[in-house]
Amino acid sequence: MTELETDINLRVLHGSPSTCHGNRFEVLADLARYCLAAVFIVSGVFKAVSPEATSMMITQYLNMLGVTSELPSPGFMAVTLCVIEFLMGAVALSGRLFYYVSPLYVVAMVFFTGITFINLTSPYGAFESCGCFGEIIHLNAPETFVKNLFLLIVSILLCIRCYIK
Protein backbone atom coordinates (compact mmCIF):
# COMPACT_ATOMS: atom_id res chain seq x y z
CA MET A 1 0.00 0.00 0.00
CA THR A 2 1.40 3.39 -0.93
CA GLU A 3 1.73 6.28 1.47
CA LEU A 4 -1.09 8.18 -0.28
CA GLU A 5 -3.48 5.21 -0.01
CA THR A 6 -2.63 4.83 3.67
CA ASP A 7 -3.29 8.53 4.29
CA ILE A 8 -6.64 8.36 2.45
CA ASN A 9 -7.68 5.23 4.36
CA LEU A 10 -6.82 6.86 7.70
CA ARG A 11 -8.85 9.95 6.82
CA VAL A 12 -11.82 7.84 5.77
CA LEU A 13 -11.65 5.65 8.88
CA HIS A 14 -10.87 8.28 11.48
CA GLY A 15 -11.77 11.51 9.80
CA SER A 16 -9.84 14.71 10.18
CA PRO A 17 -10.96 18.14 11.34
CA SER A 18 -11.22 19.31 7.74
CA THR A 19 -13.15 16.34 6.38
CA CYS A 20 -15.18 15.02 9.31
CA HIS A 21 -17.72 17.88 9.45
CA GLY A 22 -18.15 17.87 5.68
CA ASN A 23 -18.76 14.13 5.64
CA ARG A 24 -21.50 14.38 8.27
CA PHE A 25 -23.25 17.12 6.33
CA GLU A 26 -22.94 15.15 3.10
CA VAL A 27 -24.43 12.07 4.78
CA LEU A 28 -27.38 14.15 6.04
CA ALA A 29 -27.86 15.68 2.59
CA ASP A 30 -27.78 12.26 0.97
CA LEU A 31 -30.31 10.91 3.48
CA ALA A 32 -32.59 13.87 2.75
CA ARG A 33 -32.25 13.25 -0.99
CA TYR A 34 -33.02 9.54 -0.50
CA CYS A 35 -36.08 10.45 1.56
CA LEU A 36 -37.31 12.77 -1.19
CA ALA A 37 -36.60 10.08 -3.78
CA ALA A 38 -38.46 7.42 -1.82
CA VAL A 39 -41.57 9.56 -1.46
CA PHE A 40 -41.64 10.45 -5.15
CA ILE A 41 -41.01 6.86 -6.30
CA VAL A 42 -43.54 5.32 -3.91
CA SER A 43 -46.10 7.99 -4.76
CA GLY A 44 -45.69 7.46 -8.51
CA VAL A 45 -45.84 3.67 -8.27
CA PHE A 46 -48.81 3.62 -5.88
CA LYS A 47 -50.75 6.04 -8.08
CA ALA A 48 -49.99 3.84 -11.10
CA VAL A 49 -51.59 0.86 -9.34
CA SER A 50 -54.98 2.55 -9.67
CA PRO A 51 -54.92 5.23 -12.38
CA GLU A 52 -58.73 5.47 -12.25
CA ALA A 53 -58.63 6.57 -8.60
CA THR A 54 -55.81 9.01 -9.38
CA SER A 55 -57.88 10.37 -12.26
CA MET A 56 -60.85 10.90 -9.91
CA MET A 57 -58.63 12.71 -7.38
CA ILE A 58 -57.25 14.99 -10.09
CA THR A 59 -60.83 15.79 -11.14
CA GLN A 60 -61.74 16.61 -7.52
CA TYR A 61 -58.74 18.91 -7.13
CA LEU A 62 -59.46 20.64 -10.46
CA ASN A 63 -63.09 21.17 -9.43
CA MET A 64 -61.94 22.56 -6.07
CA LEU A 65 -59.73 25.06 -7.92
CA GLY A 66 -62.52 25.90 -10.38
CA VAL A 67 -60.50 24.63 -13.35
CA THR A 68 -62.52 22.30 -15.53
CA SER A 69 -62.21 23.36 -19.13
CA GLU A 70 -59.45 23.36 -21.74
CA LEU A 71 -57.43 20.64 -20.00
CA PRO A 72 -56.41 17.19 -21.18
CA SER A 73 -58.39 14.25 -19.89
CA PRO A 74 -57.90 13.42 -16.20
CA GLY A 75 -56.85 9.89 -17.20
CA PHE A 76 -53.99 11.26 -19.30
CA MET A 77 -53.04 13.65 -16.50
CA ALA A 78 -53.05 10.76 -13.98
CA VAL A 79 -50.69 8.63 -16.06
CA THR A 80 -48.46 11.63 -16.76
CA LEU A 81 -48.32 12.47 -13.05
CA CYS A 82 -47.35 8.88 -12.18
CA VAL A 83 -44.54 8.86 -14.73
CA ILE A 84 -43.22 12.30 -13.76
CA GLU A 85 -43.23 11.49 -10.04
CA PHE A 86 -41.47 8.18 -10.62
CA LEU A 87 -38.83 9.76 -12.87
CA MET A 88 -38.24 12.61 -10.41
CA GLY A 89 -37.76 10.03 -7.66
CA ALA A 90 -35.34 8.04 -9.80
CA VAL A 91 -33.28 11.16 -10.56
CA ALA A 92 -33.15 12.06 -6.86
CA LEU A 93 -32.15 8.50 -5.98
CA SER A 94 -29.35 8.34 -8.54
CA GLY A 95 -28.17 11.89 -7.82
CA ARG A 96 -26.70 12.19 -11.32
CA LEU A 97 -28.84 15.03 -12.69
CA PHE A 98 -30.03 16.30 -9.32
CA TYR A 99 -28.00 19.52 -9.64
CA TYR A 100 -29.90 20.45 -12.81
CA VAL A 101 -33.40 19.40 -11.75
CA SER A 102 -33.37 20.32 -8.05
CA PRO A 103 -35.42 23.49 -8.71
CA LEU A 104 -38.16 21.28 -10.19
CA TYR A 105 -38.57 19.56 -6.81
CA VAL A 106 -39.09 22.96 -5.18
CA VAL A 107 -41.65 23.95 -7.83
CA ALA A 108 -43.47 20.62 -7.49
CA MET A 109 -43.56 20.84 -3.70
CA VAL A 110 -44.73 24.47 -3.75
CA PHE A 111 -47.56 23.37 -6.06
CA PHE A 112 -48.51 20.30 -3.99
CA THR A 113 -48.23 22.20 -0.69
CA GLY A 114 -50.36 25.04 -2.08
CA ILE A 115 -53.09 22.68 -3.27
CA THR A 116 -53.01 20.88 0.07
CA PHE A 117 -53.28 24.18 1.94
CA ILE A 118 -56.30 25.18 -0.16
CA ASN A 119 -57.85 21.77 0.52
CA LEU A 120 -57.09 22.05 4.24
CA THR A 121 -58.59 25.53 4.61
CA SER A 122 -61.51 25.03 2.23
CA PRO A 123 -64.82 26.17 3.71
CA TYR A 124 -66.51 23.27 1.91
CA GLY A 125 -64.53 20.66 3.80
CA ALA A 126 -61.34 18.84 2.97
CA PHE A 127 -61.12 15.67 0.93
CA GLU A 128 -61.20 12.53 3.01
CA SER A 129 -57.92 11.33 1.48
CA CYS A 130 -55.40 13.36 -0.49
CA GLY A 131 -54.58 10.68 -3.06
CA CYS A 132 -50.85 11.31 -2.61
CA PHE A 133 -50.10 7.60 -2.52
CA GLY A 134 -53.01 6.38 -4.62
CA GLU A 135 -55.33 3.92 -2.97
CA ILE A 136 -52.57 2.18 -1.01
CA ILE A 137 -51.90 4.74 1.76
CA HIS A 138 -54.55 7.22 2.84
CA LEU A 139 -53.57 10.52 4.47
CA ASN A 140 -56.05 13.13 5.65
CA ALA A 141 -55.63 16.83 4.86
CA PRO A 142 -53.58 17.82 7.96
CA GLU A 143 -51.25 14.81 7.57
CA THR A 144 -50.78 15.61 3.89
CA PHE A 145 -50.03 19.25 4.63
CA VAL A 146 -47.37 18.34 7.22
CA LYS A 147 -45.82 15.80 4.82
CA ASN A 148 -45.76 18.33 1.97
CA LEU A 149 -44.38 21.08 4.19
CA PHE A 150 -41.57 18.76 5.33
CA LEU A 151 -40.77 17.76 1.73
CA LEU A 152 -40.89 21.42 0.64
CA ILE A 153 -38.32 22.35 3.29
CA VAL A 154 -36.14 19.37 2.33
CA SER A 155 -36.32 20.23 -1.38
CA ILE A 156 -35.47 23.89 -0.72
CA LEU A 157 -32.47 22.95 1.42
CA LEU A 158 -31.25 20.44 -1.16
CA CYS A 159 -31.66 22.97 -3.96
CA ILE A 160 -29.71 25.58 -1.98
CA ARG A 161 -27.02 22.98 -1.27
CA CYS A 162 -26.69 22.24 -4.99
CA TYR A 163 -26.02 25.85 -5.91
CA ILE A 164 -23.99 27.03 -2.93
CA LYS A 165 -21.51 24.13 -2.80
Side-chain angles (χ1 to χ4, degrees):
M1 197 185 266
T2 68
E3 187 177 325
L4 178 61
E5 290 173 331
T6 304
D7 185 46
I8 291 172
N9 287 336
L10 287 175
R11 286 180 189 226
V12 169
L13 288 175
H14 303 292
S16 67
S18 63
T19 61
C20 192
H21 181 274
N23 287 340
R24 287 184 189 146
F25 182 74
E26 288 300 317
V27 168
L28 285 175
D30 285 342
L31 287 174
R33 185 171 49 84
Y34 295 149
C35 177
L36 190 68
V39 170
F40 271 86
I41 289 171
V42 168
S43 179
V45 169
F46 283 4
K47 284 177 186 168
V49 168
S50 179
E52 298 85 17
T54 303
S55 175
M56 289 189 318
M57 285 306 299
I58 288 174
T59 301
Q60 284 182 338
Y61 279 111
L62 290 175
N63 289 337
M64 177 186 72
L65 295 173
V67 179
T68 55
S69 61
E70 305 291 325
L71 291 172
S73 75
F76 174 76
M77 291 171 64
V79 171
T80 303
L81 182 62
C82 295
V83 170
I84 289 172
E85 282 186 347
F86 181 81
L87 289 176
M88 286 179 74
V91 167
L93 184 63
S94 75
R96 290 182 184 244
L97 300 173
F98 194 75
Y99 175 83
Y100 300 106
V101 298
S102 61
L104 294 178
Y105 294 90
V106 175
V107 169
M109 291 316 304
V110 164
F111 176 74
F112 291 138
T113 306
I115 285 179
T116 305
F117 180 75
I118 292 170
N119 181 38
L120 182 64
T121 59
S122 173
Y124 306 109
F127 300 139
E128 194 174 302
S129 175
C130 68
C132 300
F133 297 105
E135 290 297 304
I136 309 292
I137 300 173
H138 294 275
L139 299 175
N140 61 28
E143 293 168 339
T144 303
F145 184 70
V146 169
K147 173 196 62 94
N148 284 348
L149 202 55
F150 171 75
L151 292 175
L152 175 61
I153 292 167
V154 167
S155 63
I156 289 170
L157 292 174
L158 287 172
C159 187
I160 290 170
R161 176 185 162 264
C162 283
Y163 291 99
I164 291 186
K165 240 180 174 184

